[in-house]
Amino acid sequence: MRAGGIGVLVVDDDVHVAKINAHYVSQMPGFQVAGIAHSAPDAFAAVERGGVDLLLLDHHLPDESGLSLIWRLRRHGYDIDAIMVTADRGSDLVRDALRAGVLHYVVKPFTQEGLRAKLHAYAQLRSTLGTAELDQRRIDRMLNALRAPDPDSALPKGFSERTADRICRIVAQAQHQISAQEVSEQARVSRSTAQRYLKYLEETGKLRLTLRYGDSGRPEHMYSGM
């Protein structure tokens, strides 16, 4: 780790998402943004320039997958740690990511606190691995850091994790901003239930809320993924 902290390269083809993730990293003590890349070639070039300890890496890039980039870096002798950040929930990808040495797998959308927990766990892992010799206690601490709990996993009383996940996916996969009524119909829940979940997901940073004004003058709440 250099004097300025752990250098993180944020890699995401979505300019808006990359800026948000870089902002999250910049707010984390002990970390610094080493750069932002929107493609695999740009990311590889940034690693070559130096100053990168950790990749915050999207899997779906325009020219090469995130996993392919990791393997290519390994072949060229770059021992770079990686946290995968992707909307892909496929078990095959998760398994392949683990085989590639990815230390954490973060599913989009996520909150700042969710990412903060993963970065904190990574810092603990680096600290433990910096010890010359590990006893069982330190090894257990290292493995526990890899299994850091997600602070966003505890839902409010009366909320269902399955319903929250379904509504979050409906909004994230929509081709346009979507209303509570549309979510209600697709999730097969009442409009009031959809509104409660949408409000919670927006407040926790998992969805984005915008107001659309019509002829009535009353704004309609519209939702989109992060």
Side-chain angles (χ1 to χ4, degrees):
M1 183 175 69
R2 59 210 84 256
I6 298 171
V8 181
L9 177 65
V10 178
V11 186
D12 199 300
D13 64 329
D14 188 311
V15 175
H16 178 68
V17 171
K19 286 183 178 179
I20 291 175
N21 292 347
H23 174 71
Y24 287 170
V25 171
S26 70
Q27 299 299 303
M28 187 73 183
F31 289 82
Q32 64 176 355
V33 179
I36 296 177
H38 302 300
S39 68
D42 288 347
F44 194 95
V47 171
E48 284 186 312
R49 289 193 295 270
V52 178
D53 300 302
L54 174 68
L55 297 177
L56 196 60
L57 178 64
D58 189 13
H59 177 61
H60 296 289
L61 299 174
D63 39 22
E64 183 179 358
S65 73
L67 282 184
S68 175
L69 173 61
I70 291 174
W71 285 118
R72 186 155 64 93
L73 287 167
R74 300 271 192 265
R75 289 195 300 271
H76 283 78
Y78 293 106
D79 186 19
I80 302 294
D81 294 327
I83 295 177
M84 186 70 73
V85 178
T86 178
D88 196 324
R89 301 162 181 256
S91 59
D92 288 346
L93 178 58
V94 174
R95 181 195 63 221
D96 291 344
L98 293 174
R99 288 175 174 172
V102 169
L103 297 176
H104 283 298
Y105 193 103
V106 184
V107 177
K108 296 179 180 179
F110 56 86
T111 65
Q112 181 172 0
E113 284 305 312
L115 181 60
R116 180 186 295 272
K118 298 297 188 291
L119 291 175
H120 179 68
Y122 172 73
Q124 287 185 315
L125 176 65
R126 282 180 65 95
S127 176
T128 303
L129 289 176
T131 304
E133 186 172 329
L134 299 175
D135 57 21
Q136 187 63 56
R137 181 177 59 85
R138 290 182 180 274
I139 292 172
D140 291 342
R141 182 185 301 172
M142 177 185 71
L143 295 177
N144 286 335
L146 288 173
R147 304 186 186 105
D150 186 349
D152 301 319
S153 61
L155 292 173
K157 186 177 180 180
F159 279 63
S160 160
E161 183 175 347
R162 177 178 293 183
T163 302
D165 182 67
R166 183 164 70 251
I167 288 177
C168 197
R169 282 190 286 110
I170 287 171
V171 176
Q173 294 172 2
Q175 300 299 312
H176 53 79
Q177 292 181 332
I178 190 169
S179 68
Q181 181 60 41
E182 291 173 299
V183 171
S184 168
E185 293 170 357
Q186 293 187 38
R188 298 183 179 180
V189 297
S190 68
R191 177 166 179 161
S192 62
T193 296
Q195 288 172 328
R196 285 194 303 115
Y197 277 86
L198 288 167
K199 184 175 185 295
Y200 165 76
L201 292 168
E202 187 271 327
E203 288 176 345
T204 54
K206 293 177 178 162
L207 299 178
R208 184 182 295 115
L209 167 68
T210 56
L211 300 178
R212 184 173 69 185
Y213 291 86
D215 296 336
S216 66
R218 295 183 59 185
E220 182 177 14
H221 289 197
M222 303 298 293
Y223 297 88
S224 57
M226 294 297 292

